[in-house]
Amino acid sequence: MDGVTSMTEITATKSLDKTSGTWKSRLIAVLPLIVLVVLLAVVTIRQPSFLDIRSLQSLSISLAPILLLGVGQTFVVLTGGIDLSNAALTSLGTVLLAMWLPHFGFGAAVLMIVGLTFLGFLSGWVSATAQIPTFIVTLGAMGLWGGVGEVLTGASTVQIGDSYKAIAWVRDTLILQVPMPAVIGVCLVFLVAALMSRLSSGRKFHAIGLAEQAVLMSGGSTFRLRCAAFALSGMCAGLAALVLTASQFSGAPHLADSLLLPVIAAIVVGGTAIT
């Protein structure tokens, strides 16, 4: 009888521990949402106009570059690296766009995004080919792109002027009262999430960051994946540059530099493991 009682107590204890663990995991999962709701409540109480439609529209436009850069940074972090240059690359993108708009119209935006995608790819190629840690490569690239922007502009701001009409729709268009920059960012997030979960290449991004040797032994190319991750980061930097230029009516060599730390914080809060 004592043995049966002991077994019953052990089973009950295990069940209780399992239930407790489940509740803890659920609480941890919803904790960021709880914090967000509390912060919104506090800000709204102190500033009732915070939830006004115009205020929310302005907020979504200002946060869109962080969201776009965060998507690009996620690919790099998943491979076990980090891209310290994506904010500086965005700043360079605003300079290039502001300088090219009078000559190419909206085609300047396409050229700029393609160019930044290539520059992002270049950082990944250097890191993968020379086996240099991404921290060092992108730290150097951060200074390089900032210097290029200063040389091109004479360390000054480039105003867009009449050519702004070519990209005015990026800031002024509303879809169901949601500004276009926010729509672009949210659509990109859902698209990337769907592709990462359904495509084998999406799982490989996770695999290379978790166990690079296993990917190599299974016949995967870590070189191509690293280059692709940085190229995607550069492309997202180009989209962020388009949004910033449209919202600021100008380009500058250090316009987006302050976004680097918020972007890294955003992807960690968003659930991407930096390990």
Side-chain angles (χ1 to χ4, degrees):
M1 290 294 292
D2 291 341
V4 174
T5 303
S6 299
M7 289 296 295
T8 303
E9 291 176 350
I10 292 173
T11 303
T13 302
K14 288 183 178 180
S15 178
L16 184 61
D17 290 342
K18 185 177 180 180
T19 303
S20 177
T22 302
W23 278 106
K24 286 181 180 179
S25 61
R26 289 178 179 176
L27 179 61
I28 292 173
V30 300
L31 189 59
L33 179 61
I34 294 173
V35 173
L36 176 62
V37 171
V38 171
L39 287 174
L40 286 174
V42 171
V43 174
T44 303
I45 291 172
R46 294 182 62 87
Q47 190 67 39
S49 62
F50 176 73
L51 293 181
D52 180 75
I53 183 65
R54 292 188 179 276
S55 176
L56 291 177
Q57 288 173 346
S58 298
L59 182 64
S60 65
I61 292 174
S62 64
L63 292 180
I66 296 178
L67 180 60
L68 292 168
L69 285 172
V71 172
Q73 183 77 256
T74 297
F75 288 105
V76 179
V77 172
L78 283 177
T79 62
I82 191 167
D83 187 0
L84 299 179
S85 66
N86 64 348
L89 199 56
T90 300
S91 298
L92 177 60
T94 67
V95 169
L96 296 176
L97 182 56
M99 294 177 66
W100 291 346
L101 269 175
H103 306 287
F104 304 109
F106 183 72
V110 178
L111 288 174
M112 181 270 295
I113 293 173
V114 172
L116 263 59
T117 301
F118 173 75
L119 293 180
F121 165 83
L122 191 61
S123 293
W125 181 83
V126 170
S127 176
T129 301
Q131 292 298 299
I132 302 174
T134 56
F135 182 92
I136 296 175
V137 172
T138 57
L139 183 63
M142 178 174 64
L144 176 61
W145 304 141
V148 171
E150 289 187 349
V151 170
L152 291 175
T153 63
S156 62
T157 300
V158 181
Q159 301 295 334
I160 296 178
D162 293 338
S163 56
Y164 175 76
K165 296 177 183 178
I167 59 171
W169 62 272
V170 176
R171 177 183 172 88
D172 299 337
T173 303
L174 298 176
I175 298 179
L176 299 177
Q177 297 300 312
V178 180
M180 181 59 71
V183 172
I184 294 173
V186 172
C187 289
L188 183 63
V189 167
F190 279 103
L191 176 63
V192 169
L195 293 178
M196 291 289 283
S197 62
R198 293 180 179 273
L199 298 181
S200 60
S201 56
R203 293 189 291 272
K204 288 178 182 178
F205 277 112
H206 288 273
I208 188 176
L210 182 63
E212 184 173 352
Q213 286 298 116
V215 176
L216 288 170
M217 293 176 67
S218 64
S221 173
T222 60
F223 178 85
R224 287 199 298 267
L225 286 172
R226 290 193 186 281
C227 291
F230 276 93
L232 290 168
S233 180
M235 184 192 71
C236 290
L239 292 173
L242 173 61
V243 170
L244 267 179
T245 307
S247 61
Q248 299 296 322
F249 306 96
S250 61
H254 299 290
L255 185 61
D257 289 9
S258 62
L259 299 180
L260 176 59
L261 289 181
V263 166
I264 295 175
I267 65 170
V268 173
V269 173
T272 302
I274 59 175
T275 53

